Amino acid sequence: MVTQAQRKEWVAMGLKAPLHLSFAEIGHTGTKFAIVKEGYKVEYVRSLCAEISESEYRAELDVNGGADVIHDGSGRYYIIGEAALSHIIGDVPIGQNRYTRNFYSPIFAYTLANMYQDNMPKVMNVYVTYPFGDRPYVETLQNLLVGEWRFQHKGKWHETEIINVIAKPESIGGIAHRGLNPLGQEIKDDFWNQKGMDAGVYVDLGGG
């Protein structure tokens, strides 16, 4: 959790962020995220995702409390991380095939559920950086993220709404940058501090 003192320090440096700011990297090999309530302790899981049946999902709930699985709220179930290996048929998705409701969406839901275990923000903005070669898929990514989210993890339902998504290539989209529109102009209504926002999530796609 970002403290008031840290917030004041960032503002003095010209940076702004909401009190609930979290960070995640969904890389080609692994996914890393900071657990907000544990002082930004970083956790790591493999960037693997496979769809499973409802019976397999319920078995995971019984065996380990559902730590590795996500129910997306629309009748589809996924297993995340190392545990997904035995369920993957064929190659692990790459490139455009990762920008789908069957890959990035469940991994992102899993990441949010772990970052905000007991205090899921009601509304949030998401700032994404991505490999330059994935630029053709940015609109697909924004469509995946924006909107209402409802999912179950460890038997607990979570709900949030993503209002805005800004996506930039990694080379120009570092966290220190202020939000820019597609023309490169600074957004006047500060992206991280828009009225009504409960949280901001910074996500780096690709990489390790």
Side-chain angles (χ1 to χ4, degrees), residues 46-140:
R46 291 189 65 180
S47 295
L48 299 172
C49 175
E51 188 167 2
I52 58 177
S53 67
E54 182 178 0
S55 61
E56 289 173 316
Y57 176 81
R58 298 199 178 281
E60 286 289 327
L61 290 177
D62 292 337
V63 171
N64 67 358
D68 299 323
V69 292
I70 282 285
H71 174 10
D72 74 352
S74 65
R76 304 186 79 163
Y77 307 87
Y78 300 90
I79 189 163
I80 309 295
E82 196 81 26
L85 273 175
S86 61
H87 298 269
I88 294 175
I89 300 175
D91 297 328
V92 175
I94 60 174
Q96 184 177 8
N97 293 327
R98 297 167 72 89
Y99 290 80
T100 69
R101 297 197 180 279
N102 289 327
F103 190 83
Y104 272 144
S105 289
I107 291 181
F108 186 65
Y110 174 88
T111 301
L112 286 180
N114 279 282
M115 289 194 297
Y116 297 104
Q117 297 172 14
D118 300 317
N119 59 341
M120 183 66 64
K122 297 289 186 183
V123 290
M124 65 176 70
N125 281 339
V126 175
Y127 183 107
V128 182
T129 55
Y130 58 89
F132 189 81
D134 287 0
R135 189 174 182 180
Y137 321 133
V138 170
E139 185 175 348
T140 299

Side-chain angles (χ1 to χ4, degrees), residues 7-8 14 24 44 50 53 71 86 93 104 109 121 135 150 157 165-166 168 170 172 179 183 189 196 201:
R7 183 182 177 87
K8 289 180 180 179
Y44 173 91
S53 67
H71 174 10
S86 61
Y104 272 144
R135 189 174 182 180
R150 183 173 185 268
W157 285 102
V165 173
I166 285 182
K168 295 184 186 181
E170 293 169 330
I172 63 171
L183 298 178
D189 187 5
V201 179

Side-chain angles (χ1 to χ4, degrees), residues 25-42:
E25 177 185 356
I26 303 177
H28 294 306
T29 303
T31 292
K32 297 184 284 289
F33 52 85
I35 300 177
V36 175
K37 78 171 197 174
E38 295 184 12
Y40 290 99
K41 174 184 175 183
V42 176

